[in-house]
Amino acid sequence: MSTNMSRSKSQAVYSFLPHMWVASRGDGSSITAEISGWNYRRMDDVYQNFIEGEIKRQIRLFGNRGGDISSFGIDDHVHSYTIVEPAMNETAEDIVGVKSPLVFYCNSCHEVIQKRNADDIDHMKWKCPTCGSTLKQLQMVYACECGHAEAVKIPYVAGGYKKMKYLPNENPYRMIAVTESGERKAELAISCPNCKARLVPDNAESTRNYKPFSLKIINIADKRNGEFFEKGLTAQKVLVAKWFNKLSQDKFVEILDNLALAFSNHNTNDAKRKEAELTIQKMIDSGALPESMREAMINSMVSVTTESALSVEPFVNACDQLFAKLKKQDEISYGSWIENFAFKLMQYNTLKYAPKVLTLEDSISKQLSMDFIDSEDDILDLNRKMGIFSMQVSCDIEIINCTYGYTRRVSDPAQAKKNLKLVAFNKYKDNSSLVYGAKLETEGILFEIDRVKILNWLLINEVITEAEMPDIDDEVAVKEWFAENVHSELVNIFSGVDEGEKITKNIFGLLHSISHAFMKTAGEISGLEDTSLTEVIILETTSIFIYAQTSQGIPLGALSGMIETNYYNFLQKVITEMKNCIFDPICEERDDTSCSACMILPEICCEFFNHDLGRKYMYTLKENPDTKKPFIGFWEM
């Protein structure tokens, strides 16, 4: 069994992966097969280190929760992963599967037959050899948390049997062995050959048997940005400094256009700074200088003699000064934190400064010209009410969907009965682990949610106190507060944010819920199918990017068209219709105020397996369990 990739590549990296079972249906019958592999090629024009670093971070998070990550390499200094995509060769199938299970049963006389190998199935007539009725494949498999899986087989019966019968309506988990002495029950349960756990069969296509671990990453826009990011920690600090308004976008573009010149003086200045740091430290240790004078004295000693005003040194220093306390506490942790922060900022910049942008002003102008709104305030007032600080359509964006491993039965180690294993795919020729990927060029809507409104929302709901509030009139102070208090490194794809992380959990829950509300409504208005939209959430910038993932991987302009001519109606529909669920009051009484009828989307659409969702974040529906007061919705402040 094989497929010629009639589905999109994006669906393939989620639904047609090695060691999972899939079904092929037609003419009223179906047969399942285990995917054995892809005919692939190495993916070009992606920045390997950029993606590999995030994969390793996610794997470490899984390990930190008690999961088995022994089959993965997570050393930052070692190349461990190779991203591949379908080869798309005309002479070979892209995805290959082997028919499995090899067990068939008769609907009429219930006799069971088992073929020796998959090739034998190609030649059978699909008729019962005893009564001539139609045969059906027994589409069941065993799957274990240790990563093992296998197709169902006819169970062993001591002393042998004349024939085996299967009556699924009576008991799908056992067969009946017809022996010389009569009929005997033959249980289908087995012992896992790896960990000895007791396994019972499950539907071959059940999502419980295979939990893919995937990432959606905004590919770096162009070669300049890629080469910039490859400069490592120095470049990453520049990105962070840019976020904190220490350099403009125009200045940043100048640096991108003159990378060699901009970075030429850094090594010299860095060496000077290290020498100054040692000198000043000796003076502090001897008591000749107070600790409070450290940075001022270091800066005065460093004579920055640059050949060009494009030197990155001032911006590197600005970043270090902003987070001097964190740097002093643990320089290694500080470097890791900067790397993660910059990884998200690079994706945000790629979206914000996309090759083609449709702005809010463009949308308002178009709707005014068509008499769809009476005044620009119609939209601006709704934006303010919903906490939308900025909105734009970003076009010609390249998304990398990639899957780097999978688990069986559950996705969160904390929910597993035993030691849950994250399983790596096979090796590439250089002994790195394969990552199955697909590129998608698309358009999407970038929403940046108002950080000051979020702070006021946290305060009114007593998630934070007045003493914890930054100066909300100081943009840099607000950004610093989010950088220090929102721990995005704890957000992962396999579990919700822990209850102890109240600030992170509430902010992520809010952004994730708004994202799903936007996707649900955008799908209805634009005419796109339920599975045609998905999300990227950048917690560091309180941003949401919802984008089209059409069946051919080519957006049809549905989202840009909706924003251009129908943005006001989109906002009105979101805020008025998402408050209610057809399953209320049952859904409303749930802790998460979320179900498949209101907030939950198909897993292919959700970056985070539908964790941390709830209408309670946007609307006043429940009490705050800590204060016993109503939890005020973000859209009702």
Side-chain angles (χ1 to χ4, degrees):
M1 177 183 177
S2 59
T3 176
N4 61 2
M5 293 295 294
S6 60
R7 288 178 170 85
S8 74
K9 287 184 181 182
S10 295
Q11 289 176 315
V13 299
Y14 191 89
S15 304
F16 294 89
L17 292 160
H19 312 301
M20 73 187 303
W21 274 264
V22 299
S24 175
R25 294 179 174 86
D27 301 325
S29 63
S30 72
I31 187 165
T32 57
E34 181 183 2
I35 301 297
S36 56
W38 287 18
N39 289 314
Y40 57 76
R41 64 188 176 201
R42 182 172 177 142
M43 188 181 287
D44 296 323
D45 300 323
V46 294
Y47 290 89
Q48 173 75 35
N49 294 341
F50 187 63
I51 299 173
E52 184 166 334
E54 179 64 6
I55 290 173
K56 289 176 178 176
R57 188 182 76 83
Q58 289 289 343
I59 291 170
R60 288 191 199 99
L61 285 172
F62 186 88
N64 291 343
R65 288 183 70 84
D68 180 353
I69 57 174
S70 58
S71 60
F72 291 89
I74 55 173
D75 187 337
D76 282 331
H77 305 292
V78 177
H79 165 58
S80 304
Y81 303 92
T82 296
I83 305 164
V84 298
E85 62 183 346
M88 305 297 285
N89 291 330
E90 294 183 3
T91 57
E93 304 293 354
D94 293 298
I95 298 175
V96 179
V98 178
K99 295 180 180 69
S100 171
L102 304 179
V103 178
F104 293 78
Y105 66 96
C106 177
N107 263 334
S108 297
C109 71
H110 307 296
E111 184 170 353
V112 179
I113 21 176
Q114 182 169 304
K115 308 305 291 184
R116 287 176 299 179
N117 57 64
D119 289 339
D120 291 344
I121 298 174
D122 293 334
H123 306 295
M124 66 182 301
K125 298 178 180 178
W126 295 92
K127 298 295 181 182
C128 174
T130 301
C131 72
S133 297
T134 302
L135 286 173
K136 290 187 68 175
Q137 184 187 32
L138 182 52
Q139 297 174 340
M140 302 182 81
V141 300
Y142 303 100
C144 184
E145 290 178 358
C146 75
H148 175 75
E150 63 179 87
V152 71
K153 298 182 182 68
I154 292 177
Y156 169 76
V157 177
Y161 57 89
K162 292 169 62 176
K163 67 178 180 178
M164 193 72 75
K165 296 194 297 183
Y166 182 61
L167 289 78
N169 293 332
E170 292 185 12
N171 192 327
Y173 302 114
R174 78 163 57 120
M175 292 183 180
I176 298 172
V178 180
T179 68
E180 295 290 346
S181 58
E183 293 186 348
R184 294 169 53 188
K185 295 175 183 177
E187 300 293 338
L188 290 175
I190 66 168
S191 176
C192 174
N194 289 344
C195 69
K196 308 308 177 186
R198 184 178 184 273
L199 305 178
V200 294
D202 195 2
N203 186 307
E205 292 186 275
S206 171
T207 57
R208 291 185 296 270
N209 297 325
Y210 195 96
K211 302 283 188 180
F213 277 56
S214 302
L215 294 171
K216 299 182 182 78
I217 294 176
I218 312 298
N219 198 24
I220 296 177
D222 53 34
K223 186 178 179 181
R224 296 178 313 159
N225 282 275
E227 289 178 350
F228 170 83
F229 201 81
E230 293 289 343
K231 297 292 185 181
L233 189 59
T234 302
Q236 292 158 12
K237 289 180 179 180
V238 174
L239 276 174
V240 174
K242 178 179 182 294
W243 174 244
F244 288 97
N245 304 344
K246 303 302 180 184
L247 75 157
S248 66
Q249 174 64 13
D250 289 342
K251 190 72 172 179
F252 182 65
V253 171
E254 268 193 86
I255 291 173
L256 292 180
D257 289 337
N258 300 274
L259 284 178
L261 189 59
F263 282 84
S264 64
N265 297 294
H266 172 73
N267 291 334
T268 300
N269 293 327
D270 194 45
K272 288 183 179 181
R273 185 173 183 83
K274 281 183 168 48
E275 184 179 347
E277 286 174 348
L278 287 172
T279 302
I280 296 302
Q281 186 61 52
K282 288 178 182 177
M283 294 175 68
I284 292 172
D285 293 342
S286 68
L289 191 73
E291 174 68 34
S292 60
M293 293 290 293
R294 173 193 293 272
E295 283 301 316
M297 291 300 296
I298 289 173
N299 290 335
S300 67
M301 286 183 66
V302 177
S303 176
V304 185
T305 54
T306 61
E307 299 171 13
S308 163
L310 286 177
S311 172
V312 297
E313 190 73 20
F315 312 120
V316 172
N317 293 339
C319 176
D320 287 338
Q321 288 169 18
L322 277 168
F323 300 102
K325 184 178 178 181
L326 180 60
K327 185 174 186 286
K328 183 181 177 183
Q329 287 174 345
D330 187 337
E331 191 149 355
I332 294 176
S333 296
Y334 171 65
S336 298
W337 180 81
I338 289 289
E339 182 181 16
N340 179 55
F341 200 169
F343 172 81
K344 301 297 180 59
L345 291 176
M346 179 59 86
Q347 294 183 84
Y348 170 80
N349 284 351
T350 302
L351 296 172
K352 187 72 173 177
Y353 306 102
K356 180 182 176 184
V357 168
L358 173 69
T359 67
L360 176 64
E361 291 73 20
D362 296 332
S363 173
I364 290 173
S365 176
K366 183 74 171 181
Q367 288 169 89
L368 282 170
S369 70
M370 300 175 73
D371 293 328
F372 288 170
I373 55 175
D374 297 324
S375 162
E376 66 175 15
D377 290 336
D378 293 350
I379 287 177
L380 296 178
D381 289 346
L382 265 178
N383 263 8
R384 280 190 289 269
K385 181 176 179 61
M386 298 174 73
I388 299 171
F389 180 76
S390 68
M391 183 284 303
Q392 68 179 54
V393 177
S394 301
C395 305
D396 302 331
I397 296 297
E398 191 169 73
I399 310 288
I400 307 297
N401 294 320
C402 55
T403 304
Y404 54 89
Y406 62 90
T407 60
R408 307 272 190 195
R409 307 307 295 174
V410 293
S411 58
D412 183 3
Q415 303 298 321
K417 295 178 182 177
K418 302 185 71 174
N419 189 20
L420 184 66
K421 183 169 185 175
L422 182 59
V423 184
F425 294 117
N426 292 337
K427 300 290 186 182
Y428 189 62
K429 57 189 176 184
D430 64 359
N431 206 40
S432 59
S433 295
L434 289 171
V435 174
Y436 291 92
K439 294 179 190 174
L440 174 73
E441 188 170 304
T442 188
E443 66 174 18
I445 313 169
L446 177 64
F447 298 93
E448 193 170 332
I449 306 303
D450 189 338
R451 284 175 287 279
V452 172
K453 185 176 172 97
I454 291 174
L455 282 165
N456 287 325
W457 174 71
L458 293 173
L459 180 64
I460 199 172
N461 284 307
E462 299 184 37
V463 176
I464 60 174
T465 64
E466 191 75 52
E468 294 174 291
M469 285 279 285
D471 179 358
I472 59 174
D473 295 322
D474 183 340
E475 182 185 358
V476 172
V478 170
K479 287 182 174 181
E480 280 188 75
W481 187 94
F482 275 82
E484 292 171 355
N485 291 280
V486 182
H487 303 142
S488 68
E489 70 277 7
L490 301 180
V491 177
N492 57 73
I493 66 171
F494 46 85
S495 68
V497 179
D498 290 339
E499 294 291 339
E501 292 286 336
K502 288 177 61 177
I503 293 175
T504 303
K505 189 172 185 69
N506 277 281
I507 295 176
F508 174 68
L510 173 67
L511 295 178
H512 196 198
S513 300
I514 291 175
S515 175
H516 279 224
F518 285 165
M519 280 195 285
K520 283 245 181 183
T521 306
E524 292 173 15
I525 293 180
S526 67
L528 293 170
E529 297 178 358
D530 289 345
T531 58
S532 293
L533 292 174
T534 188
E535 66 192 342
V536 170
I537 295 174
I538 305 176
L539 203 55
E540 286 75 3
T541 62
T542 59
S543 300
I544 298 162
F545 183 63
I546 63 172
Y547 65 91
Q549 52 174 7
T550 64
S551 59
Q552 282 76 38
I554 302 172
L556 304 176
L559 292 179
S560 55
M562 180 192 77
I563 293 299
E564 188 173 29
T565 63
N566 218 1
Y567 182 53
Y568 175 73
N569 287 335
F570 164 76
L571 294 179
Q572 281 277 35
K573 188 175 178 67
V574 171
I575 198 169
T576 57
E577 295 188 10
M578 288 305 302
K579 183 173 184 176
N580 302 309
C581 175
I582 59 172
F583 291 129
D584 281 339
I586 296 172
C587 179
E588 187 177 325
E589 291 170 356
R590 290 166 53 101
D591 288 341
D592 55 6
T593 60
S594 172
C595 72
S596 58
C598 54
M599 299 299 299
I600 292 175
L601 292 169
E603 285 187 354
I604 194 172
C605 301
C606 180
E607 188 181 7
F608 302 99
F609 283 95
N610 287 302
H611 293 302
D612 292 311
L613 290 171
R615 290 175 292 142
K616 64 182 180 182
Y617 293 110
M618 292 100 74
Y619 306 100
T620 307
L621 300 176
K622 298 182 71 67
E623 285 185 345
N624 185 327
D626 296 327
T627 64
K628 304 302 180 184
K629 297 178 182 177
F631 192 85
I632 307 301
F634 187 71
W635 288 344
E636 296 187 342
M637 289 174 58

